[in-house]
Amino acid sequence: MLRYLIPLGIFLVLVIFFAVGLQLDPREVPSPLIDKPAPAFEVAQLHRPEARIGTDQLRGQVWLLNVWASWCVACRSEHPHLVELSRQKLVPIYGLNYKDERADALRWLQQFGDPYTVSAHDLDGRVGLDYGVYGVPETFLIDRDGVIRHKHIGPLNPDIINNTIMPMVRQLQQG
Amino acid sequence: MKKLTAILLGLCLLSGAPVQAAVDLTDFDGDTVLEERYHKLVTELRCLVCQNQTIADSNADLAKDLRREVRDMLVGGKTDEQIKEFMLARYGDFVLYRPPVKTTTVPLWIGPFVLLAIGLVVVAVMVRRRSRQAQPEMRSEDVERARKLLDENQEQQS
């Protein structure tokens, strides 16, 4: 009896391991930045190179920081959802244009629509480095005190926006 | 043929180990101490884009940026600890190929030894069971019968 039960037991353990393990996304590394102050930055704006945009100006509101680039293929799939979200005017979305040429980025926004209140132009990727960006697109939710409350790695979709991000936004806006 | 395959395989494995082709920006003005520290650091930091490579091995843009950052910090007089802190603050424990021992990483550190212990126990049990089976006790009349049969066989042959 035991000789049948032991392989069966091992098999079941393997099934459990795979069932859990294969659903984990190895690309989603937990960020140490959650509940920490958002790293300060001040860089040129994408549309107006002479003007600056930085974390100091964004204090006092709940906002989203969306890291994007014109060379980023996955950004295209999330972009319509960002445009849709920006139309609802529920939460301001600021863009961090990551390691991108200004002309390419502007053309991209013209083509696909511009959901961003302002886009920051992070040409050399230093801001992205401070935010621990390693897979564009990434989205950060930052509260009134400038603390990062949530980070999403990879493209957003309506499910994530409506069921994860927006409930948190509403809660932060009330609090 | 088998031997040849084994030799070729061995050569492939050997040649793969010391390659550090992706490392660039190793300009330390001949400062070999800094260069040595640089090499040690970049081979201990994980590239988060291609997760099974160190930032020394990887050609990803992020790895290049991180190598540049490590170099700048070294030249700027930062200690190895400070550089690791910098990486940890941005990417978490995952960035270190040698993660610190703490409650969340304990399974990582003791897991292999637990598995090894389980393996040893299984082997010990199997060996003991098999050695017991190898010497079945024979009854004396069986031994007697076997000897008789062997003797008859010999007589027939001679």
Side-chain angles (χ1 to χ4, degrees), chain A residues 26-175:
Chain A
R27 293 191 57 81
E28 278 189 27
V29 180
S31 174
L33 288 164
I34 305 293
D35 293 331
K36 299 261 167 60
F41 68 84
E42 209 211 49
V43 291
Q45 294 186 11
L46 184 68
H47 290 86
R48 296 190 299 144
E50 71 285 356
R52 313 284 287 174
I53 174 79
T55 37
D56 285 348
Q57 289 155 262
L58 300 170
R59 284 263 163 141
Q61 60 176 340
V62 179
W63 55 290
L64 291 176
L65 179 70
N66 177 250
V67 186
W68 68 282
S70 66
W71 46 261
C72 153
V73 180
C75 296
R76 288 179 191 220
S77 78
E78 77 165 7
H79 204 72
H81 309 306
L82 281 176
V83 173
E84 173 60 32
L85 180 63
S86 74
R87 276 208 199 100
Q88 296 170 18
K89 298 205 185 305
L90 296 169
V91 58
I93 308 169
Y94 287 84
L96 182 70
N97 182 234
Y98 178 65
K99 300 184 91 172
D100 210 353
E101 295 298 329
R102 190 183 300 274
D104 294 343
L106 290 174
R107 198 179 320 122
W108 201 80
L109 288 181
Q110 219 161 30
Q111 192 179 345
F112 297 107
D114 185 355
Y116 306 114
T117 312
V118 175
S119 261
H121 190 214
D122 181 25
L123 179 61
D124 59 6
R126 296 256 173 189
V127 179
L129 197 79
D130 279 343
Y131 277 78
V133 171
Y134 61 88
V136 194
E138 293 187 11
T139 306
F140 295 84
L141 171 59
I142 298 165
D143 73 5
R144 288 201 181 100
D145 301 321
V147 174
I148 295 177
R149 291 310 185 129
H150 184 69
K151 177 188 183 184
H152 179 77
I153 297 158
L156 293 168
N157 58 41
D159 179 43
I160 294 163
I161 292 175
N162 295 328
N163 298 325
T164 308
I165 304 225
M166 284 318 292
M168 290 186 84
V169 168
R170 279 192 285 273
Q171 203 187 356
L172 288 171
Q173 282 171 340
Q174 279 167 8

Side-chain angles (χ1 to χ4, degrees), chain A residues 26-33 98-99 124-126 128-134 151, chain B residues 48-51 61-62 65-66 68-69 72 86-94 129:
Chain A
R27 293 191 57 81
E28 278 189 27
V29 180
S31 174
L33 288 164
Y98 178 65
K99 300 184 91 172
D124 59 6
R126 296 256 173 189
L129 197 79
D130 279 343
Y131 277 78
V133 171
Y134 61 88
K151 177 188 183 184
Chain B
L48 282 102
V49 178
C50 21
Q51 298 183 339
D61 264 0
L62 181 75
D65 286 358
L66 291 180
R68 180 192 65 193
E69 209 66 32
D72 289 352
F86 175 93
M87 296 294 169
L88 277 178
R90 282 156 182 77
Y91 305 104
D93 288 338
F94 192 64
R129 197 176 285 172

Side-chain angles (χ1 to χ4, degrees), chain A residues 14-26:
Chain A
L14 277 181
V15 166
I16 292 167
F17 264 81
F18 280 123
V20 176
L22 289 177
Q23 284 179 33
L24 296 174
D25 184 355

